[in-house]
Amino acid sequence: QVQLVESGGGLVQPGGSLRLSCAASGSILRIAAMGWYRQAPGKQREYVAGITSGGRTNYIDSVKGRFTISRDNAKNTVYLEMNSLKPEDTAVYYCNGHGIVPGTRDPYDYWGQGTQVTVSS
């Protein structure tokens, strides 16, 4: 029942920065974790970073020290600040919400439509 919309992608040179935004149609307070995934052409979609409702963050090793995930609950928005971008960061980036359906044991995942990030000189 929550819709996610990503924005902020674009074309940048290696070493540049971008800030991605994920706007939710409803409250994200009851979603256990929000995160970002990415998918390059011909590759599987991979997890990049996540943040729990309590504010704990996780990152894959390749982006540690370069990417920062954050959330603004009042705006129902999650951000991904990307610095020191590399060509291998090129991919479509997707926003994700993961949790358990209230009153059940059923897991759920919400997905945005994706935003393109291209890192090239």
Side-chain angles (χ1 to χ4, degrees):
Q1 60 186 349
V2 175
Q3 294 185 334
L4 306 175
V5 179
E6 304 96 332
S7 62
L11 173 64
V12 297
Q13 293 185 327
S17 299
L18 283 174
R19 190 191 195 197
L20 306 183
S21 297
C22 171
S25 62
S27 175
I28 61 174
L29 290 173
R30 299 185 185 277
I31 300 176
M34 301 293 298
W36 290 92
Y37 289 69
R38 66 187 180 187
Q39 186 169 23
K43 302 293 182 66
Q44 295 271 40
R45 186 175 299 185
E46 68 172 346
Y47 173 86
V48 177
I51 184 167
T52 69
S53 59
R56 297 183 64 182
T57 60
N58 288 287
Y59 305 89
I60 56 172
D61 288 342
S62 62
V63 308
K64 287 181 179 177
R66 300 190 298 121
F67 291 11
T68 302
I69 187 170
S70 62
R71 63 194 294 161
D72 186 334
N73 292 329
K75 295 182 177 180
N76 295 319
T77 301
V78 178
Y79 304 96
L80 185 68
E81 180 72 33
M82 304 185 295
N83 300 309
S84 302
L85 283 162
K86 304 174 180 180
E88 51 262 44
D89 295 318
T90 295
V92 177
Y93 283 70
Y94 297 91
C95 184
N96 167 260
H98 178 76
I100 305 297
V101 177
T104 77
R105 296 180 179 178
D106 301 324
Y108 66 80
D109 283 284
Y110 297 122
W111 293 98
Q113 84 291 342
T115 186
Q116 177 72 48
V117 172
T118 302
V119 185
S120 177
S121 59

